[in-house]
Amino acid sequence: MDKELLTSIMQVKEYPCISIIMPTHRKIPEKHQNAIRLKNLLKQASDTLGKELGKRESAELIDKMNDLAASIDTSRTQDGLALFVSHSKAEVVHIPFVVHERVVIDHSFSTRELIMGVNRGTTYYILDLSLHKARLLSCYRDQAHEITLNGFPLHSDFSMLELNPTDFTREKEKQIKEFFNKVDKIFVQHYTSKNIRLILAGVQKNLALYREVTDHEDMIIGHLEGNYESESVHDIGKKAWEVVREKSRKERHSALNELQRAVSTHKVAAGITEAWRVAHEGRVSTLICEEDYHTTAALDSPNTLVLDTSALPAEKVIPDAVGQLAEMVITKGGKVIFVDNGTLGNFYKIAAILRY
């Protein structure tokens, strides 16, 4: 799960967009329920499509949805699973945190979980730097796997690097910098995007030298100091996640402090209806939302959201208004931060910090 994938799914605007979101189990015997649960949700989606579009018009989409589901090994899932199907899209996303089960058929996909994953800093990279080799690991939370594409792992070819690693002569330091500069350029060329996060792993001297040559110091959010050449990818991922999680905790704390400052300058919109209005106007710099806040809603006008949908036909109802609001904020250049449940009691579970 990454920002590029989120963007590609958010860009689909057509009807119908089918989103199937389901919690899954990793361990026996519970994981045997995964296939049954997926089958039931596929039937629910198929029945709804048949009613809304008719049997003939829905047949192609139902086949596409079932073919996508058939490609999933339900015995090798994480904590959640998402299927996104439309005439132009068919995508499976494995989600490593617990999600709420639902089937959504709308004019766009339900991307709340993807937004949460990307904007809570849970996607990041690790560069494991030594004098002989640079390994690149792609991580989601505490799960890591080594990348073996685009030149990685990179091996140094300087004979001087075979010398005592504590012997940092001026010439040797120059060669190490050349190697790290090469690593940096290849990483930036192939793996960086907006808001990318990087953890550096290695001995203190190597970390310092890499920071001297990188053109993107701002993407480095932390480091693991020590020699990790012989350490497993799994163990490095576990240690790096502790660093990333602490960084994310501090960012959420900082966002809440920013929210309190915005209150004093009257630059806050509290509640989803007010947040929707100012987001539609492009005024939201940061949207802060409690993790489990969900609500349906409908549009009275393009910038006016109403929560009482009891008298409205189903086609007028937005199944996941919070998710659509988050998408709107991101599309207009803002950011979205999810915080613990109960944190925003005075703001009706969601608050927008305004640019003006």
Side-chain angles (χ1 to χ4, degrees):
M1 191 189 305
D2 56 31
K3 193 173 182 65
E4 286 73 21
L5 175 60
L6 170 62
T7 300
S8 73
I9 293 175
M10 284 174 52
Q11 286 174 343
V12 179
K13 305 294 181 184
E14 57 185 339
Y15 190 84
C17 285
I18 308 143
S19 306
I20 298 176
I21 316 293
M22 58 175 277
T24 52
H25 300 283
R26 303 186 188 213
K27 298 179 181 180
I28 295 175
E30 290 85 359
K31 74 177 180 180
H32 294 314
Q33 302 171 16
N34 295 341
I36 298 171
R37 178 173 242 157
L38 178 57
K39 182 180 179 179
N40 291 338
L41 292 175
L42 288 169
K43 185 179 186 307
Q44 180 183 337
S46 298
D47 290 346
T48 303
L49 284 172
K51 290 177 182 177
E52 294 193 5
L53 302 180
K55 186 174 181 179
R56 179 179 297 178
E57 288 75 10
S58 63
E60 180 183 345
L61 276 170
I62 291 173
D63 288 344
K64 188 174 184 179
M65 187 170 59
N66 288 332
D67 288 344
L68 182 64
S71 70
I72 302 169
D73 183 352
T74 55
S75 68
R76 299 176 63 86
T77 58
Q78 298 179 16
D79 296 312
L81 189 66
L83 284 73
F84 301 104
V85 178
S86 70
H87 289 293
S88 64
K89 192 78 171 177
E91 193 81 50
V92 175
V93 180
H94 293 272
I95 303 172
F97 52 84
V98 177
V99 298
H100 294 284
E101 177 180 297
R102 65 189 188 278
V103 173
V104 179
I105 299 176
D106 205 349
H107 291 82
S108 60
F109 290 119
S110 182
T111 58
R112 176 193 181 89
E113 284 77 11
L114 274 65
I115 293 171
M116 184 182 297
V118 170
N119 289 281
R120 286 203 68 163
T122 47
T123 302
Y124 60 99
Y125 291 99
I126 303 171
L127 264 178
D128 178 25
L129 303 167
S130 74
L131 301 186
H132 312 287
K133 183 173 68 173
R135 288 192 294 173
L136 179 62
L137 312 182
S138 176
C139 307
Y140 195 90
R141 297 174 73 90
D142 62 351
Q143 301 165 48
H145 71 269
E146 183 170 358
I147 292 176
T148 55
L149 298 170
N150 300 314
F152 283 102
L154 270 71
H155 297 266
S156 64
D157 55 3
F158 302 113
S159 59
M160 288 187 69
L161 297 183
E162 298 301 325
L163 300 176
N164 182 349
T166 61
D167 176 24
F168 281 95
T169 63
R170 179 172 297 179
E171 182 60 27
K172 183 175 180 179
E173 186 171 295
K174 178 183 176 182
Q175 290 184 318
I176 295 169
K177 284 185 176 182
E178 288 175 354
F179 174 53
F180 287 167
N181 186 54
K182 179 181 179 182
V183 171
D184 185 67
K185 283 184 167 24
I186 292 177
F187 174 68
V188 169
Q189 178 183 354
H190 294 288
Y191 296 102
T192 57
S193 61
K194 187 179 179 181
N195 297 328
I196 200 66
R197 292 172 166 230
L198 178 64
I199 297 288
L200 298 182
V203 299
Q204 186 177 37
K205 185 67 175 178
N206 291 346
L207 301 181
L209 292 177
Y210 184 89
R211 284 181 176 271
E212 286 185 30
V213 300
T214 182
D215 295 323
H216 297 273
E217 172 77 19
D218 57 330
M219 69 186 174
I220 301 171
I221 63 166
H223 64 269
L224 295 174
E225 190 174 323
N227 187 340
Y228 293 92
E229 284 184 86
S230 59
E231 190 143 355
S232 72
V233 169
H234 173 79
D235 289 341
I236 297 176
K238 292 287 186 184
K239 293 176 181 178
W241 172 235
E242 293 302 317
V243 176
V244 175
R245 185 163 60 178
E246 177 61 18
K247 178 75 172 179
S248 297
R249 187 194 66 78
K250 290 180 178 178
E251 288 178 348
R252 293 195 297 274
H253 182 71
S254 176
L256 292 172
N257 285 340
E258 183 185 356
L259 177 60
Q260 293 303 323
R261 290 193 294 271
V263 169
S264 64
T265 57
H266 307 288
K267 291 184 178 180
V268 172
I272 191 167
T273 55
E274 279 301 298
W276 185 284
R277 180 179 62 80
V278 291
H280 188 269
E281 296 169 356
R283 295 170 57 194
V284 178
S285 63
T286 303
L287 182 72
I288 305 176
C289 179
E290 293 187 6
E291 286 186 348
D292 290 337
Y293 177 43
H294 293 79
T295 187
T296 57
L299 287 177
D300 187 44
S301 65
N303 68 342
T304 305
L305 200 69
V306 293
L307 298 182
D308 183 3
T309 62
S310 57
L312 297 175
E315 62 269 19
K316 296 288 187 180
V317 176
I318 302 171
D320 182 9
V322 177
Q324 287 207 21
L325 172 58
E327 284 191 15
M328 189 193 308
V329 169
I330 292 171
T331 301
K332 293 178 181 290
K335 63 181 179 179
V336 179
I337 295 177
F338 289 90
V339 295
D340 295 336
N341 296 330
T343 305
L344 300 174
N346 295 331
F347 300 93
Y348 310 103
K349 301 181 184 294
I350 192 165
I353 300 175
L354 309 184
R355 296 188 173 101
Y356 58 91

